[in-house]
Amino acid sequence: MVRRLVAGLAAIVLVAEAAVLVLVHIVLGRTTANQSMSIAGSDPDVMSKATYAMGAGMGAFLLLCAALAVLAALRDRSPGRFGRIVLIGAAVTHAVLGMLAVGLVGWAAFAALMLILCLLVLILTLYPAAARQGDGGGPVEDAPPPPPFGELKPTSP
């Protein structure tokens, strides 16, 4: 029950974060275009379009993470290999951005990023690691249990 709640909450937070980041990049892109801002002689149109593209890319990535969290919540299973890689990438990104946010933005931004990081890590750790075959099929059979401590077995025939 807790796993589904955490995955659902993470999905909601990731969608909200995607919306905020897209909005921030739209504002930054428009500001760059309206003010004809340039850094070291760069073309302002290229800079504003790059800002829009970065916002769209970040928003799409966060929406993908949210979709993976929703799938984990609905299925009540750990995400697959691709999903785990994407969520680990998002967790690492939030950790690095959290470190930068302390100095650049403040402790509130750090706390928000660490909350999202915690939700991502919980998605990755609350679900048991499913033993999968190479094609992502059913679980692999477990190895037989080790012999009891007092029992000795010969090592050569």
Side-chain angles (χ1 to χ4, degrees):
M1 181 67 181
V2 172
R3 296 183 299 203
R4 286 185 172 193
L5 180 67
V6 167
L9 182 62
I12 292 169
V13 170
L14 286 168
V15 168
E17 182 185 14
V20 167
L21 281 177
V22 167
L23 179 65
V24 165
H25 280 84
I26 288 172
V27 169
L28 288 174
R30 284 195 179 155
T31 303
T32 303
N34 290 339
Q35 298 295 323
S36 295
M37 293 180 180
S38 175
I39 297 176
S42 299
D43 185 16
D45 291 333
V46 172
M47 288 180 58
S48 66
K49 289 177 184 175
T51 303
Y52 294 143
M54 180 62 82
M58 289 173 66
F61 178 70
L62 290 172
L63 288 177
L64 173 65
C65 293
L68 292 170
V70 166
L71 282 176
L74 292 176
R75 294 179 181 169
D76 200 22
R77 284 191 346 207
S78 174
R81 179 178 291 155
F82 173 74
R84 292 182 73 79
I85 290 170
V86 170
L87 291 176
I88 288 170
V92 170
T93 303
H94 279 85
V96 171
L97 288 176
M99 290 185 294
L100 293 172
V102 172
L104 297 175
V105 182
W107 288 102
F110 172 78
L113 287 167
M114 291 303 108
L115 170 73
I116 299 168
L117 171 66
C118 289
L119 289 172
L120 289 170
V121 170
L122 280 173
I123 290 173
L124 293 167
T125 57
L126 282 179
Y127 289 100
R132 299 179 187 267
Q133 294 175 350
D135 63 347
V140 179
E141 292 182 21
D142 291 335
F149 180 69
E151 184 180 330
L152 296 176
K153 292 198 170 207
T155 56
S156 62

